[in-house]
Amino acid sequence: MNDPAVLIAGAGPTGLTAAMELSRLGVDVRIVDRAGAPSATSRALGIQARTVELLRPRGVGDELLRLGNRANATALYATGGKLTEIELHRMASDFNYVLLLDQSETERVLTEQLGRQGVKVERGVEVTALQQHDDSVAVHLRAGDGQSEIVRPRYVIAADGAHSVIRKATGVSFEGRQLSHSYVLGDLSLTGDVPEDQLSIFLGRRGFLAVFPMGAGRFRFMATDPDGLTGDAGDPTLAGIQQLYDRTAALPARLAGLRWSSRFRINSRHAAHLRAGRVFLGGDAAHVHSPAGGQGMNAGIQDMVNLSWKLALVLAGRARPELLDTYESDRLPVIRDLVTMTERATAAFNSTSPLAHAALTRLAPLVLARIRLQRKAADRLGQLSAGYRGAPLSADGGRIGKLRAGDRIPDAAVVTVDGEHRRLHDLLDLSGPTLLVFGDDEPLRTGLSTAVTVRRLASAPALTADPAAWLLARPDGYLAAAGTAADADRLRRWVKRWLTPDTP
């Protein structure tokens, strides 16, 4: 086969998103996966608001919304009943809930979209070694029948999981630790008083238990088992899981129909770097952490949306190679924060200390009684508050209203100069930056690259009332730069710094 521009190793949600994005942007890709067939188990369940915002204009969000079960709150319980809840309707997004769907279904939807774009996952093919060169990477592949080949893509994306062969081959360290608690996991049916439109977390004196509704009476069960109620070997049984539930949960329920169960320990780690020469790390190859909050799969998908437009522009010769360095400078601080946050949440929920338990059960209702903190908690859970302020791609980017360069641009209602009422996210060019201009755009066009799409707006009340304002939006919906007509030099500096001059 011809050498692709990009080889992607791993066909989980991270690798599939990379292949989908890059192929949509006209990049020649190959995607390989060691497993001979897609996984049939549910694994990661939660699709967060920010991920839905990114996937909807890319052709798969509507199908995920059709298939998934929506949870409108995260409720905390203790022995005496409900303590409080995080009201997800307070998220600053149209998708103000957690969408719950089997990872196997998410992967199927992504794979089908990838197929419509002319790319097929090569299964039963693994990376065994690689060597980097000045203009390519020699990647050794071995198929299930023992046949080997060497391909020489210009770049490689490692989405091959926590035990990534590629990450190890690059020598990038995987920093962190294994957390102490052992967990019980299972998919089962439940009849009782547990709502199917919320995430239910039960805080017990002997650890915690969480129940996630997957629709039609089916639930994901996760719990700590510090004193071995379910044993210490083999997969947990339905009877053992029922014992854990009865001891910890404040809502009566009968469990049945156990589809699968397992035990696991949490590794909380992240790669020291996300780029090693021509190799980029994403998803579990770059970060693994507690499942608290359902953040991991979403972070991997967002890794690839961040990387793909940059890689496509550089490969097309429309952006400077330095743009690729901003994948790490954008995403690594977000990943570090995510690993820290999930560790802290896990420590608080899992503690068997009477003092810690008492503090958590007393303080949580007081904290979440404040609307401002409710909004903050909901936006953080939905990954809406993660951004790139202060990163090189946002430096000297200015601000507009409350938005600063690096922030996610909200999907505000806007009116175009033609009088059309649109949603802002639907106006973004997904292949390159979009300049959103209020008023006369002529003063801003000098020195503007053809890689930048210009959209003229009559108004966007939620963003600004300034008739001379402009926003430069990235393809992933974050603010690159902003200002007024008097700040045209700021726009020109950004374009000159990151994009290549147009060919005469």
Side-chain angles (χ1 to χ4, degrees):
M1 297 182 68
N2 294 330
D3 293 329
V6 179
L7 177 75
I8 302 160
T14 300
L16 290 168
T17 300
M20 180 183 74
E21 271 293 88
L22 289 168
S23 61
R24 182 183 62 79
L25 294 169
V27 176
D28 180 29
V29 301
R30 281 182 70 180
I31 177 170
V32 301
D33 193 276
R34 180 178 182 177
S39 173
T41 57
S42 57
R43 293 172 292 159
L45 289 178
I47 304 174
Q48 304 296 351
R50 184 65 186 127
T51 301
V52 179
E53 286 183 347
L54 291 168
L55 292 182
R56 188 189 61 80
R58 289 165 170 85
V60 294
D62 288 341
E63 179 66 3
L64 296 175
L65 289 170
R66 186 184 71 81
L67 294 170
N69 186 49
R70 302 179 186 188
N72 301 309
T74 296
L76 299 179
Y77 294 84
T79 305
K82 183 187 284 189
L83 294 171
T84 186
E85 64 182 20
I86 299 174
E87 300 166 348
L88 302 181
H89 68 84
R90 300 190 186 279
M91 282 187 203
S93 172
D94 288 345
F95 310 106
N96 51 355
Y97 42 79
V98 176
L99 188 69
L100 295 161
L101 183 66
D102 288 1
Q103 182 176 324
S104 56
E105 281 291 278
T106 300
E107 290 179 5
R108 180 184 62 78
V109 171
L110 291 169
T111 301
E112 289 177 355
Q113 178 64 26
L114 188 58
R116 287 190 286 271
Q117 295 173 192
V119 179
K120 183 178 180 181
V121 177
E122 299 173 46
R123 297 201 173 272
V125 178
E126 62 179 321
V127 175
T128 59
L130 61 83
Q131 297 88 34
Q132 297 206 48
H133 303 288
D134 289 343
D135 60 353
S136 64
V137 186
V139 184
H140 299 247
L141 300 177
R142 181 173 62 212
D145 60 5
Q147 292 191 15
S148 298
E149 65 171 316
I150 299 176
V151 295
R152 292 176 173 81
R154 291 181 63 185
Y155 295 97
V156 172
I157 294 176
D160 52 342
H163 302 289
S164 172
V165 170
I166 296 174
R167 186 191 65 241
K168 292 172 183 176
T170 63
V172 174
S173 61
F174 206 35
E175 300 170 351
R177 63 195 178 100
Q178 186 178 77
L179 304 186
S180 59
H181 287 282
S182 175
Y183 292 80
V184 170
L185 198 66
D187 274 9
L188 42 75
S189 299
L190 183 155
T191 54
D193 297 334
V194 181
E196 290 203 53
D197 62 350
Q198 72 176 31
L199 312 177
S200 301
I201 299 175
F202 302 95
L203 307 174
R205 290 184 172 84
R206 299 298 301 161
F208 95 110
L209 180 149
V211 180
F212 308 104
M214 300 163 71
R218 186 167 157 239
F219 291 79
R220 163 70 61 81
F221 174 101
M222 183 175 71
T224 52
D225 186 11
D227 41 14
L229 271 182
T230 64
D232 58 5
D235 294 335
T237 64
L238 180 63
I241 294 174
Q242 181 76 63
Q243 280 186 287
L244 269 182
Y245 183 90
D246 292 342
R247 182 178 71 176
T248 310
L251 300 174
R254 178 56 49 189
L255 313 183
L258 182 65
R259 291 166 175 79
W260 66 269
S261 64
S262 66
R263 306 177 193 276
F264 72 99
R265 289 185 178 274
I266 293 171
N267 274 290
S268 187
R269 304 178 186 276
H270 66 79
H273 297 284
L274 301 184
R275 182 182 187 186
R278 291 181 168 271
V279 175
F280 300 92
L281 309 176
D284 286 356
H287 45 86
V288 293
H289 44 78
S290 165
Q295 305 288 292
M297 178 181 71
N298 296 271
I301 290 172
Q302 291 171 41
D303 288 344
M304 294 301 101
V305 174
N306 182 291
L307 173 62
S308 294
W309 67 269
K310 300 171 181 178
L311 196 50
L313 282 176
V314 170
L315 284 166
R318 304 179 78 191
R320 300 184 186 278
E322 294 84 358
L323 184 64
L324 297 180
D325 292 330
T326 69
Y327 169 58
E328 177 173 315
S329 58
D330 273 355
R331 293 299 297 168
L332 193 53
V334 172
I335 288 164
R336 288 183 183 129
D337 182 62
L338 186 60
V339 170
T340 299
M341 179 192 75
T342 55
E343 274 199 28
R344 288 174 178 169
T346 300
F349 288 166
N350 289 359
S351 177
T352 56
S353 161
L355 288 176
H357 177 75
L360 180 61
T361 54
R362 290 174 185 172
L363 288 176
L366 297 175
V367 170
L368 292 174
R370 303 177 183 180
I371 299 301
R372 182 179 64 84
L373 293 178
Q374 276 277 353
R375 290 176 180 148
K376 186 175 181 180
D379 280 356
R380 181 143 189 163
L381 183 65
Q383 298 190 345
L384 301 173
S385 55
Y388 310 125
R389 284 187 184 185
L393 199 53
S394 308
D396 188 34
R399 64 188 302 163
I400 181 169
K402 295 181 180 179
L403 282 180
R404 289 172 53 186
D407 289 352
R408 161 190 166 268
I409 302 173
D411 192 15
V414 300
V415 181
T416 70
V417 291
D418 298 324
E420 288 186 280
H421 291 260
R422 302 287 299 275
R423 301 298 298 181
L424 188 145
H425 286 188
D426 292 335
L427 294 176
L428 300 184
D429 185 341
L430 302 183
S431 63
T434 304
L435 179 63
L436 301 159
V437 184
F438 303 88
D440 184 12
D441 62 330
E442 194 60 37
L444 301 171
R445 286 186 175 272
T446 302
L448 197 62
S449 166
T450 54
V452 178
T453 298
V454 180
R455 309 278 195 210
R456 293 185 61 207
L457 304 179
S459 68
L463 295 177
T464 180
D466 191 330
W470 56 267
L471 297 82
L472 185 65
R474 296 162 32 158
D476 52 6
Y478 292 89
L479 185 65
T484 66
D487 302 308
D489 283 346
R490 176 181 297 144
L491 174 62
R492 284 189 275 271
R493 284 194 301 271
W494 194 96
V495 170
K496 184 178 180 180
R497 173 71 182 85
W498 300 109
L499 303 181
T500 54
D502 292 336
T503 302

